[in-house]
Amino acid sequence: MVEQITGNETLVDPTVEDLLLQAQELVPMALSKARTVKGFSSRWRVIISRLEKIPTCLSDLSSHPCFSKHTLCKEQLQAVLETLKEAIELANVCVSAKQEGKLKMQSDLDSLSAKIDLSLKDCGLLMKTGVLGEVTKTLSSSTEDLETFSVRELLARLQIGHLESKRKALEQLVEVMKEDEKAVITALGRTNVASLVQLLTATSPSVRENAVTVICSLAESGGCENWLISENALPPLIRLLESGSPVAKEKAVISLQRMSISSETSRSIVGHGGVSPLIEICKTGDSVSQSASACTLKNISAVPEVRQNLAEEGIVKVMINILNCGILLGSKEYAAECLQNLTSSNETLRRSVISENGIQTLLAYLDGPLPQESGVAAIRNLVGSVSVETYFKIIPSLVHVLKSGSIGAQQAAASTICRIATSNETKRMIGESGCIPLLIRMLEAKASGAREVAAQAIASLVTVPRNCREVKRDEKSVTSLVMLLEPSPSNSAKKYAVSGLAALCSSRKCKKLMVSHGAVGYLKKLSELEVPGSKKLLERIEKGKLRSFFSRK
């Protein structure tokens, strides 16, 4: 044995073998004492049945090759010894009938029973985790000892012992993750995830905060989401949104942000009452929490059947407010995507967005330096529900997007123009806005979808003479449209190119350009494929070629 001097007392630090021997001696004593107790018989029967299991538990533990070398074995035996001593003391009190009160003794016996059960469970877990194969030094708070602890041991400590020991292990695990997050994630098993989820509801705020910090890292890693869901992590994460510390709220909402990518998980978040606290964080949270919450709600809004639930919780007004005064640009982008989802198929929700001044808010958002696709797509969803007068406000923003927006935003803007261009009046309005040269430029875009929607918009606009004249004046228009006659199945723009060129064919100059760039060859192939309008356009071009031939004669 090793003696340690502390103050005026001499404390003996026994070896693991000494502790095992003491426990083996105390078990029969505790059982003998417990069997002599007459009162509280039902509680003592439970205690006796659990005490009888301890010898087998000790035998299993002591038979492990690393039993004498592992600090966890020593700590476990110390816990068992304390519990056995408490059992003997309580039995003596009951036999002597000197207890302070019946209710107090009932409470003490229930606590003892729970401690014995915990010791049995911990012994079993210690054997199952496999951590005994890794020999470590005694637990200490020093930096040197912290570094010696294996990740697997720390994870095992989350499952074994009382809350205080779990708290220490969790604090150390958080520190280890700061240095080597990958090592922790690699060592994780499902039982470790289950332990972390249980700690989300611990009575200690610091334990809850550290547990959700680790879980947040796991969720962001993308490798443990299924385990988190199956271990029922959603309800405690949602509760942390409502009552956690600022750090716990932030980590919880970031976890939900990642997990809500799955539509099934999004449905579960709604089912567990997660929408209301998420909306509250959008209103009152800091910049990071607001952004994560807006993203989570955006993910949830992608599920059609829950959109009405979101609307009832007031999501439309909240998202419009984020677009107006969100702290981060990312938050505004998520809000725009959310409004895009909400308005994609529900006329009632479209009306709700319009009534909350959503059109003006979206247009103000689009007038920024680099307009994104989601805001334009939301406008596109709404144009069918507003008056022609509103188009006067929308079209200038679409022109700005065609000039300065991302490729996706430009494509969405051209698509919106197609929806607006339903009458000669609106087509003239669009032509006068200056967007035709921008659409012609889009015909040369790398993305086939962008080329297609630009060709579709031009084909629609050139039915108005003024617009047609403007397209004719730009030589690139004919060249680009002819290139879009390419007959491959992947070219979905060819039918719109045929329509656009048909409108330009009345110009001899345009017709010559079509011929010189190979339109005849393309149109012959398209005629064979029965692309609408291709045969008629081919005839008009060839008739023009014939007249030109005879005029030269």
Side-chain angles (χ1 to χ4, degrees), residues 388-456:
V388 173
E389 286 72 26
T390 307
Y391 292 170
F392 283 103
K393 300 175 183 176
I394 294 174
I395 291 171
S397 292
L398 296 178
V399 173
H400 171 65
V401 172
L402 289 172
K403 288 178 180 177
S404 308
S406 65
I407 295 299
Q410 291 177 19
Q411 188 171 328
S415 177
T416 307
I417 286 170
C418 293
R419 293 197 183 186
I420 291 176
T422 54
S423 67
N424 287 342
E425 179 188 0
T426 56
K427 289 175 185 179
R428 278 193 294 271
M429 193 190 306
I430 294 166
E432 290 166 1
S433 70
C435 75
I436 287 177
L438 302 171
L439 290 169
I440 292 171
R441 185 183 67 185
M442 251 183 98
L443 294 173
E444 298 176 333
K446 291 182 179 179
S448 60
R451 295 194 300 269
E452 177 186 358
V453 75
Q456 183 183 359

Side-chain angles (χ1 to χ4, degrees), residues 12-312:
V12 178
D13 183 18
T15 65
V16 180
E17 288 79 3
D18 293 331
L19 293 171
L20 175 64
L21 185 60
Q22 289 180 47
Q24 288 170 335
E25 290 173 350
L26 283 181
V27 170
M29 289 175 59
L31 280 169
S32 176
K33 289 284 186 183
R35 287 168 180 153
T36 62
V37 179
K38 303 299 181 186
F40 308 100
S41 57
S42 61
R43 283 178 166 80
W44 277 108
R45 275 197 299 273
V46 173
I47 290 169
I48 289 167
S49 69
R50 291 177 177 175
L51 286 172
E52 289 171 341
K53 296 176 183 177
I54 289 179
T56 304
C57 174
L58 294 176
S59 175
D60 291 342
L61 197 60
S62 62
S63 64
H64 195 282
C66 296
F67 168 71
S68 61
K69 304 172 185 177
H70 209 294
T71 182
L72 280 172
C73 291
K74 187 173 184 178
E75 291 175 14
Q76 189 57 42
L77 286 171
Q78 288 170 333
V80 170
L81 272 173
E82 290 300 317
T83 303
L84 289 170
K85 290 175 183 177
E86 186 176 342
I88 293 169
E89 289 173 10
L90 286 176
N92 285 332
V93 171
C94 286
V95 169
S96 64
K98 291 182 179 179
Q99 64 263 27
E100 296 178 19
K102 186 176 180 180
L103 291 177
K104 173 72 165 57
M105 179 52 67
Q106 286 176 344
S107 175
D108 289 343
L109 291 174
D110 289 340
S111 174
L112 172 63
S113 184
K115 288 177 183 177
I116 300 171
D117 189 50
L118 179 63
S119 291
L120 293 169
K121 180 178 76 72
D122 286 351
C123 279
L125 284 170
L126 202 53
M127 300 299 292
K128 288 178 183 177
T129 57
V131 75
L132 290 181
E134 300 176 18
V135 181
T136 59
K137 297 178 182 179
T138 306
L139 178 60
S140 169
S141 59
S142 71
T143 305
E144 292 81 3
D145 287 329
L146 255 175
E147 292 171 354
T148 64
F149 267 94
S150 72
V151 171
R152 287 184 64 200
E153 180 168 337
L154 288 175
L155 292 171
R157 288 179 180 277
L158 298 182
Q159 300 170 253
I160 295 167
H162 296 284
L163 183 60
E164 180 59 22
S165 63
K166 291 177 180 178
R167 181 188 66 77
K168 291 178 181 177
L170 193 55
E171 286 177 354
Q172 292 175 357
L173 190 65
V174 170
E175 292 303 313
V176 170
M177 289 192 80
K178 289 177 182 177
E179 300 297 324
D180 192 355
E181 184 177 289
K182 186 178 179 181
V184 176
I185 293 170
T186 303
L188 270 170
R190 180 167 179 168
T191 53
N192 306 127
V193 173
S195 301
L196 285 165
V197 171
Q198 289 171 8
L199 291 173
L200 290 175
T201 56
T203 53
S204 165
S206 65
V207 170
R208 293 197 300 269
E209 192 171 295
N210 282 324
V212 76
T213 298
V214 177
I215 283 175
C216 180
S217 296
L218 301 185
E220 289 188 300
S221 74
C224 301
E225 291 168 50
N226 290 336
W227 282 346
L228 288 168
I229 297 299
S230 61
E231 293 301 332
N232 211 23
L234 290 180
L237 286 172
I238 290 168
R239 297 294 80 80
L240 284 175
L241 296 184
E242 298 170 325
S243 57
S245 66
V247 171
K249 284 183 179 182
E250 179 183 308
K251 298 298 183 183
V253 75
I254 292 172
S255 302
L256 291 173
Q257 174 187 356
R258 174 70 197 196
M259 294 160 73
S260 63
I261 292 172
S262 157
S263 58
E264 192 58 42
T265 304
S266 286
R267 292 186 189 94
S268 296
I269 292 172
V270 175
H272 286 296
V275 173
S276 182
L278 284 168
I279 284 179
E280 187 60 30
I281 288 176
C282 282
K283 294 177 182 177
T284 61
D286 59 31
S287 59
V288 174
S289 296
Q290 184 190 68
S291 179
S293 185
C295 184
T296 307
L297 289 167
K298 178 266 295 184
N299 292 341
I300 294 172
S301 70
V303 182
E305 62 265 31
V306 303
R307 288 172 186 159
Q308 193 56 45
N309 300 72
L310 295 173
E312 290 167 3

